[in-house]
């Protein structure tokens, strides 16, 4: 069951360019990292680290940048790749963590894990 804030966040995105994938009314996650990224964004916004609307602006920007970079071939599209890019920018802008710390975490993780999000070997292109 969604909390009031989670319900607000999800319904705010409905019908927008940043609308999360859904099936039968429920959010769809292709893998566990997508679910964790979504939950982290909700928790950080709920706890006041950034405003949900600020995160949405980052997400809309990330989606727009991806679409501009892939005008013809969109076969590599993954909503949550853009979601994660937007989350990275939001936490850096809010001061939760800096870009170098994110890059170091991705570098350390890629050294021991093969389960990182696709295309996320190089974190942040700020």
């Amino acid at each position: 069951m969604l909390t009031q804030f989670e319900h607000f966040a999800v319904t705010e995105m409905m019908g927008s360019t940043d609308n999360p994938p859904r099936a039968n009314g429920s959010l769809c996650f292709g893998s566990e990292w997508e679910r964790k990224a979504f939950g982290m964004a909700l928790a950080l916004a709920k706890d006041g680290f950034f405003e949900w609307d600020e995160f949405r602006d980052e997400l809309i920007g990330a989606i727009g940048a991806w679409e501009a970079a892939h005008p013809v071939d969109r076969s590599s599209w993954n909503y949550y790749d853009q979601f994660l890019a937007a989350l990275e920018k939001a936490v850096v802008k809010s001061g939760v963590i800096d870009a170098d710390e994110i890059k170091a975490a991705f570098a350390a993780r890629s050294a021991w894990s093969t389960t990182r999000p696709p295309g996320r070997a190089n974190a942040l292109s700020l």
Side-chain angles (χ1 to χ4, degrees):
M1 187 165 149
L2 296 176
T3 67
Q4 186 175 15
F5 179 82
E6 290 163 339
H7 179 72
F8 162 77
V10 172
T11 56
E12 275 291 299
M13 297 169 74
M14 298 308 298
S16 301
T17 57
D18 59 341
N19 185 12
R22 299 174 74 81
N24 297 325
S26 298
L27 292 173
C28 293
F29 302 99
S31 61
E32 189 59 26
W33 75 264
E34 295 172 352
R35 180 183 308 279
K36 288 178 181 179
F38 193 85
M40 187 178 300
L42 285 175
L44 289 169
K46 183 177 180 180
D47 289 346
F49 288 97
F50 50 78
E51 292 295 322
W52 186 254
D53 285 342
E54 293 169 1
F55 170 75
R56 284 189 64 213
D57 291 344
E58 292 295 345
L59 180 55
I60 290 168
I63 291 169
W66 188 92
E67 288 174 341
H70 300 85
V72 178
D73 180 15
R74 297 192 172 178
S75 61
S76 65
W77 168 254
N78 180 307
Y79 173 84
Y80 286 104
D81 285 342
Q82 310 327 305
F83 192 95
L84 186 56
L87 180 56
E88 290 169 357
K89 288 184 179 183
V91 297
V92 168
K93 280 186 175 180
S94 68
V96 172
I97 192 170
D98 71 32
D100 291 336
E101 291 174 300
I102 293 175
K103 289 176 186 176
F106 271 102
R109 181 172 172 88
S110 67
W112 56 266
S113 176
T114 59
T115 60
R116 69 180 177 277
R120 301 308 297 168
N122 298 316
L124 285 179
S125 53
L126 297 175

